[in-house]
Amino acid sequence: MAIDLPPQEPLPDGVATYFDKCEEKLGLVPNVLVAHAFDADRLDAFAAFYNGLMLAPSGLTKAEREMIAVTVSAINRCHYCLTAHGAALRQLTGDPALAETIAQNWRAADLPARQHAMLTFAEKLSVSPAAMEEADRQALRQAGFSERDIFDIAAVTGFYAMSNRLASATEMAPNPEYHGMARE
């Protein structure tokens, strides 16, 4: 990171346990978590919000949530999130070409109407939030999304808008391992 906020030393027990779990499940501790580790309470809040949005039960699949993360990160040109969530999308879909296409220009991806509507909404919310209107929500309803799903699409979009800005402001570097993940 371009700012000097080293992790607490020693890591609080809860943080150390969380990092051990990341290492076990992912084979690494994501740098975004390390960046937040200067303050255990902030790390806990960030992780809880992320886990609630991206991993908890939802009408959106995990892959759809990652599609939103990648689309928003592409709009914001966030190197960290494009790299990390591009890897996650490749893993979840098993389709590296689809993930790369979404990262480069989601409109060029061969997506079902449901996902096209979802990413159209996420793009507009990212680029022109004040222009959102009932017709945008109605397009999601017509694509089969529930009211809760619409809220989740908006929440994931908003979370990545914030995360992209934080990562860009601090020059957060992605873990090198992400670059080679799920390429074949």
Side-chain angles (χ1 to χ4, degrees), residues 126-141:
S126 297
V127 174
S128 305
M132 297 302 293
E133 55 191 8
E134 181 57 27
D136 301 305
R137 292 179 291 279
Q138 190 57 34
L140 291 176
R141 290 181 192 106

Side-chain angles (χ1 to χ4, degrees), residues 32 46 78 80-81 158-168 172:
V32 68
F46 179 84
C78 179
Y80 182 94
C81 292
F159 179 80
Y160 284 96
M162 182 275 298
S163 293
N164 293 167
R165 282 155 179 77
L166 183 58
S168 294
M172 199 176 294

Side-chain angles (χ1 to χ4, degrees), residues 2-104:
I3 59 175
D4 187 22
L5 288 173
Q8 289 179 324
E9 289 291 334
L11 287 175
D13 289 341
V15 173
T17 300
Y18 184 48
F19 283 8
D20 288 345
K21 190 180 289 188
C22 289
E23 188 72 47
E24 178 185 313
K25 286 186 165 191
L26 303 172
L28 58 91
V29 178
N31 286 343
V32 68
L33 299 180
V34 175
H36 282 84
F38 72 93
D39 182 321
D41 291 336
R42 284 183 189 229
L43 174 59
D44 289 345
F46 179 84
F49 196 34
Y50 170 86
N51 290 335
L53 287 174
M54 299 301 287
L55 303 175
S58 170
L60 306 177
T61 67
K62 289 179 183 177
E64 287 173 332
R65 289 177 266 186
E66 290 294 349
M67 286 177 184
I68 295 168
V70 170
T71 297
V72 172
S73 298
I75 290 164
N76 292 317
R77 297 187 341 217
C78 179
H79 177 65
Y80 182 94
C81 292
L82 274 170
T83 305
H85 294 283
L89 187 55
R90 289 190 305 271
Q91 288 176 325
L92 288 168
T93 63
D95 188 344
L98 174 65
E100 293 297 323
T101 301
I102 291 172
Q104 293 168 19

